[in-house]
Amino acid sequence: MAVVVTNANAPAFEAKMTVYVFICVMIAAVGGLIFGYDIGISGGVTAMDDFLKEFFPAVWERKRHVHENNYCKYDNQFLQLFTSSLYLAALVASFVASAICSKLGRKPTMQFASIFFLIGVGLTAGAVNLVMLIIGRLFLGFGVGFGNQAVPLFLSEIAPAQLRGGLNIVFQLMVTIGILIANIVNYFTATVHPHGWRIALGGAGIPAVILLFGSLLIIETPTSLIERNKNEEGKEALRKIRGVDDINDEYESIVHACDIARQVKDPYRKLLKPASRPPLVIGMLLQFFQQFTGINAIMFYAPVLFQTVGFGSNAALLSAVVTGSINVLSTFVGIYLVDRTGRRFLLLQSSVHMLICHLIIGSILAKDLGVTGTLGKAQALVVVIFVCVYVMGFAWSWGPLGWLIPSETFPLETRSAGFAVAVSCNMFFTFLIAQAFLSMLCGMRYGIFFFFAGWIIVMGLFALFFIPETKGIAIDDMRESVWKPHWFWKRYMLAEDDHPDVEKRSA
């Protein structure tokens, strides 16, 4: 399939969607599969009695109490630390990964990620005490930080501009598949006593091995090669991934972007300049908003949530498998629509969509679920349905676009550093939600859904007024085609034009 990449201010770049690019995309996106598997496996494992008895006996005793509090039975800071420690480590690792991405390339960064994943899997699945368990989670966090830094950049840089949205969302698709696989594994290992939780945690080793050896087959991105003065290799790589002979215009565009990038000695300092503000602010706020949709609160603890509304342990895991399947299928909708309807339409539509779901779920819990007892079957079924409808909206919008938009909007000179800031923000806010959610659920009860509904209103308004459309625009042409014409962000471009401050390398 051939496409011609064009916009109002740039030359056309011809490209084909080659089989090789498809293979590279699928292998690299396995990093997302590991991330998703971890999100899904954490909630299931923390609901398993054998795991709780081994590491969190106080929670296990509280859980089996006859008149347990529906909202507080899992409220334990150390239990939440099991989940959230990974994201704290990923926050720190993303900055290290940014430097490695720039110095060594996207491909070696993914290989480092797979090695960290394998070490973490060994420690968590073989844990004999809480310290070993948490250290293993920290290594998994290093893997997440490296993988989430490198994979979206890799996908955005090898994709033709007209297909960039759909190909980049393959990362989020793999995240959703990882969540689904984890939910299925949780469902079957919950009945394997006493070591079902070890099997569940150890399962992450399979995609880690696939990423490690699969990354040997993929190509480094032309941008990364040219950025590191490997121009001829970069040109050949570009010809290989585009599938056409006439790649000179795109090659010259990348070389020009790299020449500008080399003039910047400190990309993090450059991020503080006015011209960097639009992608930086949007990139950071997208991560905040992505987490404050409430999605990870539901997906981390989906089994816990379904138990809270009255399902038994196995029924809760089965329900989580259903939501995971919907998550995967809905991400395909995003892949289909993102390069057709554009990014803004999906963000705005889903904001209304998710707001309605939160309000309905919160209202049912407020009316019908007390501190003890369960929901009636009819009310519980309605909650499950609206959780599924909610997941649909997130899966084709704020989920994938939270990764896509920051990976495509930074100029090359700040791309790795800017995306590192976005990844670290994502990990920080994920850590915050993971560490606080069960305590918030205990304290706020049904009000937590109204809390997230309020943030969805804020993010919808932000998308409406401040997020420009980037559909079909070449990745190195965002400044001219996106930021300069925008009613608000253009002032930062004009300020930079009026007061240029390009950091030159010292002689």
Side-chain angles (χ1 to χ4, degrees):
M1 178 176 65
V3 297
V4 176
V5 179
T6 146
N7 61 62
N9 299 302
F13 300 146
E14 187 181 354
K16 292 179 181 178
M17 180 58 204
T18 64
V19 173
Y20 183 69
V21 166
F22 178 78
I23 292 171
C24 287
V25 166
M26 296 308 297
I27 290 174
V30 171
L33 181 71
I34 305 171
F35 184 36
Y37 185 88
D38 182 82
I39 291 173
I41 214 70
S42 299
V45 165
T46 54
M48 293 182 187
D49 287 344
D50 292 322
F51 177 81
L52 292 175
K53 282 189 286 186
E54 181 84 17
F55 298 106
F56 305 99
V59 178
W60 179 65
E61 287 293 337
R62 189 188 311 159
K63 178 185 173 186
R64 58 199 289 264
H65 196 277
V66 176
H67 299 293
E68 62 190 3
N69 185 310
N70 276 318
Y71 294 101
C72 300
K73 58 188 173 184
Y74 290 97
D75 180 21
N76 180 281
Q77 288 297 311
F78 287 108
L79 179 61
Q80 292 174 104
L81 184 62
F82 164 73
T83 295
S84 61
S85 57
L86 180 151
Y87 303 97
L88 197 59
L91 187 161
V92 176
S94 62
F95 289 102
V96 179
S98 170
I100 292 177
C101 252
S102 295
K103 299 292 184 185
L104 301 181
R106 284 49 164 158
K107 179 176 172 178
T109 308
M110 287 187 274
Q111 292 168 335
F112 280 120
S114 61
I115 293 170
F116 284 131
F117 278 129
L118 287 171
I119 296 172
V121 166
L123 289 171
T124 53
V128 295
N129 55 52
L130 186 58
V131 173
M132 186 174 174
L133 188 72
I134 298 299
I135 291 174
R137 292 288 291 177
L138 292 175
F139 270 100
L140 288 172
F142 297 150
V144 167
F146 274 63
N148 287 14
Q149 171 70 20
V151 173
L153 289 181
F154 177 88
L155 297 178
S156 285
E157 289 179 349
I158 69 167
Q162 297 292 73
L163 301 174
R164 187 176 62 243
L167 292 181
N168 190 285
I169 290 179
V170 173
F171 174 76
Q172 179 69 15
L173 173 65
M174 296 297 270
V175 172
T176 64
I177 292 173
I179 293 171
L180 174 60
I181 292 172
N183 287 333
I184 294 171
V185 170
N186 281 334
Y187 180 71
F188 287 104
T189 57
T191 57
V192 179
H193 303 290
H195 297 306
W197 63 271
R198 294 188 188 276
I199 298 171
L201 293 175
I206 297 173
V209 169
I210 294 173
L211 180 62
L212 178 61
F213 290 102
S215 63
L216 300 176
L217 304 176
I218 65 178
I219 199 167
E220 183 58 89
T221 71
T223 299
S224 177
L225 290 167
I226 297 169
E227 183 182 24
R228 291 177 288 125
N229 294 308
K230 300 181 179 181
N231 288 30
E232 285 305 312
E233 291 180 48
K235 193 170 188 177
E236 286 306 308
L238 185 62
R239 183 174 285 112
K240 185 172 185 176
I241 64 174
R242 293 295 177 253
V244 296
D245 291 326
D246 185 15
I247 47 88
N248 287 331
D249 287 342
E250 186 173 3
Y251 172 74
E252 292 300 330
S253 175
I254 295 172
V255 169
H256 176 67
C258 290
D259 287 341
I260 294 174
R262 291 189 190 103
Q263 295 175 0
V264 178
K265 292 188 293 183
D266 185 349
Y268 289 100
R269 183 180 175 190
K270 179 72 174 177
L271 282 175
L272 300 177
K273 302 295 182 183
S276 298
R277 208 156 297 161
L280 182 64
V281 170
I282 289 175
M284 293 173 68
L285 285 179
L286 276 172
Q287 310 314 311
F288 173 82
F289 290 145
Q290 187 191 69
Q291 299 310 311
F292 278 74
T293 59
I295 184 63
N296 276 355
I298 288 177
M299 299 309 290
F300 280 153
Y301 302 110
V304 177
L305 183 63
F306 282 107
Q307 284 184 341
T308 296
V309 297
F311 289 88
S313 182
N314 284 340
L317 290 170
L318 181 59
S319 299
V321 170
V322 173
T323 61
S325 301
I326 291 169
N327 200 7
V328 172
L329 295 175
S330 299
T331 304
F332 279 107
V333 175
I335 290 174
Y336 178 78
L337 292 177
V338 69
D339 289 316
R340 290 173 171 83
T341 64
R343 284 69 160 150
R344 276 171 51 83
F345 172 82
L346 294 177
L347 292 173
L348 294 171
Q349 180 278 329
S350 64
S351 294
V352 176
H353 181 138
M354 293 188 294
L355 174 64
I356 293 171
C357 293
H358 269 309
L359 293 175
I360 290 174
I361 294 170
S363 298
I364 291 173
L365 296 185
K367 180 176 179 292
D368 297 314
L369 183 64
V371 173
T372 59
T374 61
L375 285 175
K377 286 189 176 179
Q379 294 96 325
L381 181 60
V382 172
V383 169
V384 170
I385 289 172
F386 276 96
V387 164
C388 292
V389 173
Y390 165 87
V391 169
M392 286 181 189
F394 178 86
W396 63 54
S397 61
W398 290 91
L401 297 181
W403 296 107
L404 168 61
I405 293 173
S407 74
E408 67 181 2
T409 51
F410 284 99
L412 181 60
E413 62 265 28
T414 56
R415 187 172 301 154
S416 185
F419 195 66
V421 172
V423 171
S424 66
C425 285
N426 185 283
M427 294 302 112
F428 173 75
F429 293 121
T430 305
F431 166 80
L432 191 66
I433 290 294
Q435 187 65 24
F437 174 66
L438 293 180
S439 298
M440 290 168 65
L441 182 64
C442 181
M444 299 173 70
R445 299 189 291 168
Y446 58 82
I448 196 168
F449 292 95
F450 298 116
F451 171 80
F452 288 127
W455 281 112
I456 288 175
I457 293 172
V458 173
M459 66 186 71
L461 292 172
F462 181 81
L464 178 62
F465 292 109
F466 297 106
I467 298 182
E469 185 55 68
T470 55
K471 179 185 73 170
I473 297 172
I475 195 169
D476 290 314
D477 195 49
M478 293 291 171
R479 177 186 174 94
E480 297 298 324
S481 299
V482 173
W483 304 123
K484 281 190 174 181
H486 191 268
W487 74 272
F488 181 79
W489 299 118
K490 67 182 180 182
R491 68 192 67 187
Y492 297 101
M493 300 298 112
L494 295 173
E496 187 80 356
D497 290 341
D498 292 340
H499 304 285
D501 184 13
V502 179
E503 301 172 63
K504 303 288 183 183
R505 291 184 182 276
S506 38

Coordinates of all heavy atoms in Angstrom, one line a residue, residues 151-207:
V151 N 9.6 2.6 22.8 CA 8.7 2.0 21.8 C 7.9 3.0 21.1 O 7.8 3.0 19.8 CB 7.8 0.9 22.5 CG1 6.8 0.4 21.5 CG2 8.7 -0.3 22.9
P152 N 7.2 4.0 21.8 CA 6.4 4.9 21.0 C 7.2 5.8 20.1 O 6.7 6.2 19.0 CB 5.7 5.8 22.2 CG 5.6 4.8 23.3 CD 6.9 4.1 23.2
L153 N 8.4 6.2 20.5 CA 9.3 7.0 19.7 C 9.7 6.2 18.4 O 9.6 6.7 17.3 CB 10.6 7.4 20.4 CG 10.4 8.5 21.5 CD1 11.8 8.8 22.1 CD2 9.8 9.7 20.9
F154 N 10.0 4.9 18.6 CA 10.4 4.0 17.5 C 9.2 3.9 16.5 O 9.4 4.1 15.3 CB 10.7 2.6 18.1 CG 11.0 1.6 17.0 CD1 12.3 1.4 16.6 CD2 10.0 0.8 16.5 CE1 12.6 0.5 15.6 CE2 10.3 -0.2 15.5 CZ 11.6 -0.3 15.1
L155 N 8.0 3.7 17.0 CA 6.8 3.5 16.2 C 6.6 4.8 15.4 O 6.2 4.8 14.2 CB 5.6 3.1 17.0 CG 5.7 1.8 17.7 CD1 4.4 1.5 18.5 CD2 5.9 0.7 16.7
S156 N 6.6 6.0 16.0 CA 6.3 7.2 15.4 C 7.4 7.6 14.3 O 7.1 8.1 13.3 CB 6.3 8.4 16.4 OG 5.1 8.3 17.1
E157 N 8.6 7.2 14.5 CA 9.7 7.5 13.6 C 9.8 6.6 12.4 O 10.3 7.0 11.3 CB 11.1 7.5 14.3 CG 11.2 8.7 15.3 CD 12.5 8.8 16.0 OE1 13.2 7.8 16.0 OE2 12.7 9.8 16.7
I158 N 9.3 5.3 12.5 CA 9.4 4.5 11.3 C 8.1 4.5 10.5 O 8.0 4.1 9.4 CB 9.7 3.0 11.7 CG1 8.5 2.3 12.4 CG2 11.0 2.9 12.4 CD1 8.7 0.8 12.5
A159 N 7.0 5.1 11.1 CA 5.7 5.1 10.4 C 5.6 6.2 9.4 O 6.1 7.3 9.6 CB 4.6 5.2 11.4
P160 N 5.0 5.9 8.2 CA 4.7 7.0 7.3 C 3.7 8.0 8.0 O 2.8 7.5 8.8 CB 4.0 6.3 6.1 CG 4.4 4.9 6.2 CD 4.6 4.6 7.6
A161 N 3.8 9.3 7.7 CA 3.0 10.2 8.5 C 1.5 10.0 8.4 O 0.7 10.1 9.4 CB 3.2 11.7 8.0
Q162 N 1.0 9.5 7.2 CA -0.5 9.3 7.1 C -1.0 8.1 7.8 O -2.2 7.9 8.0 CB -0.8 9.2 5.6 CG -0.5 10.4 4.7 CD -1.4 11.6 5.1 OE1 -1.3 12.2 6.2 NE2 -2.4 11.9 4.3
L163 N 0.0 7.2 8.2 CA -0.4 6.0 9.0 C 0.1 6.0 10.4 O 0.0 5.1 11.1 CB 0.1 4.8 8.2 CG -0.4 4.6 6.8 CD1 0.3 3.4 6.2 CD2 -1.9 4.4 6.8
R164 N 0.8 7.2 10.8 CA 1.5 7.2 12.1 C 0.6 7.0 13.3 O 0.9 6.3 14.2 CB 2.2 8.5 12.2 CG 3.1 8.6 13.4 CD 3.8 9.9 13.5 NE 2.9 11.1 13.6 CZ 2.8 12.0 12.7 NH1 3.6 12.0 11.6 NH2 2.0 13.0 12.9
G165 N -0.6 7.6 13.2 CA -1.6 7.4 14.3 C -1.9 5.9 14.6 O -1.8 5.4 15.7
G166 N -2.3 5.3 13.5 CA -2.8 3.9 13.6 C -1.6 3.0 14.0 O -1.8 2.1 14.9
L167 N -0.4 3.1 13.4 CA 0.7 2.3 13.8 C 1.2 2.5 15.2 O 1.6 1.6 15.9 CB 1.8 2.5 12.8 CG 1.6 2.0 11.4 CD1 2.8 2.3 10.5 CD2 1.2 0.5 11.3
N168 N 1.1 3.8 15.6 CA 1.6 4.1 17.0 C 0.6 3.5 18.0 O 1.0 3.0 19.1 CB 1.7 5.6 17.2 CG 2.3 6.0 18.5 OD1 1.7 5.9 19.6 ND2 3.6 6.4 18.5
I169 N -0.7 3.5 17.7 CA -1.7 2.9 18.6 C -1.6 1.4 18.8 O -2.1 0.8 19.7 CB -3.1 3.3 18.2 CG1 -3.3 4.8 18.4 CG2 -4.2 2.6 18.9 CD1 -4.7 5.4 17.9
V170 N -0.8 0.8 17.9 CA -0.5 -0.7 18.1 C 0.1 -0.9 19.4 O -0.1 -1.9 20.1 CB 0.4 -1.2 16.9 CG1 0.8 -2.6 17.2 CG2 -0.4 -1.2 15.6
F171 N 0.9 0.1 19.9 CA 1.5 0.0 21.3 C 0.4 -0.1 22.3 O 0.4 -1.0 23.2 CB 2.4 1.3 21.5 CG 2.9 1.3 22.9 CD1 3.9 0.6 23.4 CD2 2.3 2.2 23.9 CE1 4.4 0.6 24.7 CE2 2.8 2.3 25.2 CZ 3.9 1.5 25.6
Q172 N -0.6 0.8 22.2 CA -1.7 0.7 23.2 C -2.6 -0.5 23.0 O -3.1 -1.1 23.9 CB -2.6 2.0 23.0 CG -3.8 2.0 24.0 CD -3.4 2.1 25.4 OE1 -2.3 2.5 25.7 NE2 -4.3 1.9 26.3
L173 N -2.7 -1.0 21.7 CA -3.4 -2.2 21.4 C -2.7 -3.4 22.2 O -3.4 -4.2 22.8 CB -3.4 -2.5 19.9 CG -4.0 -3.9 19.5 CD1 -5.5 -4.0 19.9 CD2 -3.7 -4.2 18.0
M174 N -1.4 -3.4 22.1 CA -0.7 -4.5 22.8 C -0.8 -4.4 24.3 O -0.8 -5.4 25.1 CB 0.8 -4.5 22.4 CG 1.0 -4.8 20.9 SD 0.5 -6.5 20.5 CE 1.9 -7.4 20.7
V175 N -0.9 -3.1 24.8 CA -1.2 -2.9 26.3 C -2.5 -3.6 26.6 O -2.6 -4.3 27.6 CB -1.2 -1.4 26.6 CG1 -1.7 -1.2 28.1 CG2 0.2 -0.8 26.5
T176 N -3.5 -3.4 25.8 CA -4.8 -3.9 26.1 C -4.8 -5.4 26.0 O -5.5 -6.1 26.8 CB -5.9 -3.3 25.2 OG1 -5.7 -3.7 23.8 CG2 -6.0 -1.8 25.3
I177 N -4.1 -6.0 25.0 CA -4.0 -7.4 24.9 C -3.3 -8.0 26.1 O -3.7 -9.1 26.6 CB -3.3 -7.8 23.6 CG1 -4.1 -7.4 22.4 CG2 -2.9 -9.3 23.5 CD1 -3.4 -7.6 21.0
G178 N -2.2 -7.3 26.6 CA -1.5 -7.7 27.8 C -2.5 -7.8 29.0 O -2.4 -8.7 29.8
I179 N -3.3 -6.8 29.1 CA -4.3 -6.8 30.2 C -5.2 -7.9 30.1 O -5.5 -8.6 31.1 CB -5.1 -5.4 30.2 CG1 -4.1 -4.3 30.6 CG2 -6.2 -5.5 31.2 CD1 -4.8 -2.9 30.4
L180 N -5.7 -8.2 28.9 CA -6.7 -9.3 28.7 C -6.0 -10.6 29.0 O -6.6 -11.5 29.7 CB -7.1 -9.3 27.2 CG -8.0 -10.5 26.8 CD1 -9.3 -10.6 27.6 CD2 -8.3 -10.4 25.3
I181 N -4.8 -10.9 28.5 CA -4.1 -12.1 28.8 C -3.9 -12.3 30.3 O -4.1 -13.4 30.9 CB -2.7 -12.1 28.1 CG1 -2.9 -12.3 26.6 CG2 -1.9 -13.3 28.6 CD1 -1.7 -12.1 25.8
A182 N -3.5 -11.2 31.0 CA -3.3 -11.2 32.4 C -4.6 -11.6 33.1 O -4.6 -12.4 34.1 CB -2.8 -9.9 32.9
N183 N -5.7 -11.1 32.7 CA -7.0 -11.4 33.3 C -7.4 -12.9 33.1 O -7.9 -13.5 34.1 CB -8.1 -10.5 32.8 CG -8.0 -9.1 33.2 OD1 -7.5 -8.8 34.3 ND2 -8.5 -8.1 32.5
I184 N -7.1 -13.4 32.0 CA -7.3 -14.8 31.7 C -6.4 -15.7 32.6 O -6.8 -16.7 33.2 CB -7.1 -15.2 30.2 CG1 -8.2 -14.5 29.4 CG2 -7.1 -16.7 30.0 CD1 -7.9 -14.5 27.9
V185 N -5.1 -15.3 32.7 CA -4.2 -16.0 33.5 C -4.6 -16.0 35.0 O -4.6 -17.0 35.7 CB -2.8 -15.4 33.4 CG1 -1.8 -16.0 34.4 CG2 -2.2 -15.7 32.0
N186 N -5.1 -14.8 35.4 CA -5.6 -14.6 36.8 C -6.7 -15.6 37.1 O -6.8 -16.2 38.1 CB -6.0 -13.2 37.1 CG -4.8 -12.3 37.3 OD1 -3.8 -12.7 37.8 ND2 -5.0 -11.0 37.0
Y187 N -7.6 -15.7 36.1 CA -8.8 -16.5 36.3 C -8.5 -17.9 36.5 O -9.0 -18.6 37.4 CB -9.7 -16.3 35.0 CG -11.0 -17.1 35.1 CD1 -12.0 -16.8 36.0 CD2 -11.2 -18.3 34.3 CE1 -13.2 -17.5 36.1 CE2 -12.3 -19.0 34.4 CZ -13.3 -18.6 35.3 OH -14.5 -19.3 35.3
F188 N -7.5 -18.4 35.7 CA -7.2 -19.9 35.9 C -6.2 -20.2 37.0 O -6.3 -21.2 37.6 CB -6.6 -20.4 34.5 CG -7.7 -20.5 33.5 CD1 -7.8 -19.6 32.4 CD2 -8.6 -21.6 33.5 CE1 -8.8 -19.8 31.5 CE2 -9.6 -21.7 32.6 CZ -9.7 -20.8 31.5
T189 N -5.3 -19.2 37.3 CA -4.3 -19.5 38.4 C -4.9 -19.3 39.7 O -4.3 -19.7 40.7 CB -3.0 -18.6 38.2 OG1 -3.4 -17.3 38.1 CG2 -2.3 -19.0 36.9
A190 N -6.0 -18.6 39.8 CA -6.7 -18.3 41.1 C -7.0 -19.6 41.8 O -7.1 -19.6 43.1 CB -7.9 -17.4 41.0
T191 N -7.2 -20.7 41.1 CA -7.6 -22.0 41.7 C -6.4 -22.9 41.8 O -6.6 -24.1 42.2 CB -8.7 -22.6 40.8 OG1 -8.2 -22.8 39.5 CG2 -10.0 -21.8 40.8
V192 N -5.2 -22.4 41.5 CA -4.0 -23.3 41.6 C -3.4 -22.9 42.9 O -2.8 -21.9 43.1 CB -3.0 -23.0 40.4 CG1 -1.8 -23.9 40.6 CG2 -3.7 -23.3 39.1
H193 N -3.5 -23.8 43.9 CA -3.0 -23.6 45.3 C -1.7 -24.4 45.5 O -1.7 -25.6 45.1 CB -4.1 -23.9 46.3 CG -5.4 -23.2 46.1 ND1 -5.5 -21.8 46.3 CD2 -6.6 -23.6 45.6 CE1 -6.7 -21.4 46.0 NE2 -7.4 -22.5 45.6
P194 N -0.8 -23.9 46.2 CA -0.7 -22.5 46.8 C 0.1 -21.5 46.0 O 0.4 -20.4 46.4 CB 0.0 -22.7 48.1 CG 1.0 -23.8 47.8 CD 0.4 -24.7 46.8
H195 N 0.5 -21.9 44.8 CA 1.5 -21.1 44.0 C 0.9 -20.5 42.7 O 1.7 -20.2 41.8 CB 2.7 -21.9 43.7 CG 3.5 -22.3 44.9 ND1 3.9 -21.4 45.9 CD2 3.9 -23.5 45.4 CE1 4.5 -22.1 46.9 NE2 4.5 -23.4 46.6
G196 N -0.4 -20.4 42.6 CA -1.0 -19.8 41.4 C -0.5 -18.4 41.1 O -0.2 -18.0 40.0
W197 N -0.3 -17.7 42.2 CA 0.2 -16.3 42.0 C 1.6 -16.3 41.4 O 2.0 -15.3 40.7 CB 0.2 -15.5 43.4 CG 1.1 -16.1 44.5 CD1 0.7 -17.0 45.4 CD2 2.4 -15.7 44.7 NE1 1.8 -17.3 46.2 CE2 2.9 -16.5 45.8 CE3 3.3 -14.9 44.1 CZ2 4.2 -16.4 46.3 CZ3 4.6 -14.8 44.6 CH2 5.0 -15.5 45.7
R198 N 2.5 -17.3 41.7 CA 3.8 -17.3 41.2 C 3.7 -17.6 39.6 O 4.5 -17.0 38.9 CB 4.6 -18.4 41.8 CG 4.9 -18.2 43.3 CD 5.9 -19.2 43.8 NE 6.1 -19.1 45.3 CZ 6.9 -18.3 45.9 NH1 7.7 -17.5 45.2 NH2 7.0 -18.3 47.2
I199 N 2.8 -18.4 39.2 CA 2.6 -18.7 37.8 C 2.2 -17.4 37.1 O 2.7 -17.0 36.0 CB 1.6 -19.8 37.6 CG1 2.1 -21.1 38.2 CG2 1.3 -20.0 36.1 CD1 1.0 -22.2 38.2
A200 N 1.2 -16.7 37.8 CA 0.7 -15.5 37.2 C 1.8 -14.4 37.0 O 1.9 -13.8 35.9 CB -0.4 -14.9 38.1
L201 N 2.6 -14.2 38.0 CA 3.7 -13.2 37.9 C 4.8 -13.6 37.0 O 5.4 -12.8 36.3 CB 4.3 -12.9 39.3 CG 3.3 -12.2 40.3 CD1 4.0 -12.2 41.7 CD2 2.9 -10.9 39.8
G202 N 5.0 -14.9 36.9 CA 6.1 -15.4 36.0 C 5.7 -15.4 34.6 O 6.6 -15.4 33.7
G203 N 4.4 -15.3 34.3 CA 4.0 -15.2 32.9 C 4.6 -14.1 32.1 O 4.7 -14.1 30.9
A204 N 4.9 -13.0 32.8 CA 5.5 -11.8 32.1 C 6.8 -12.1 31.4 O 7.3 -11.4 30.6 CB 5.7 -10.6 33.1
G205 N 7.5 -13.2 31.8 CA 8.7 -13.6 31.2 C 8.6 -14.0 29.7 O 9.6 -13.8 29.0
I206 N 7.5 -14.4 29.3 CA 7.3 -14.9 27.9 C 7.4 -13.7 27.0 O 8.2 -13.7 26.0 CB 6.0 -15.7 27.8 CG1 6.0 -16.9 28.6 CG2 5.7 -16.0 26.3 CD1 4.7 -17.7 28.6
P207 N 6.6 -12.6 27.1 CA 6.8 -11.5 26.2 C 8.1 -10.8 26.3 O 8.6 -10.2 25.4 CB 5.6 -10.6 26.6 CG 5.2 -11.0 27.9 CD 5.5 -12.4 28.0

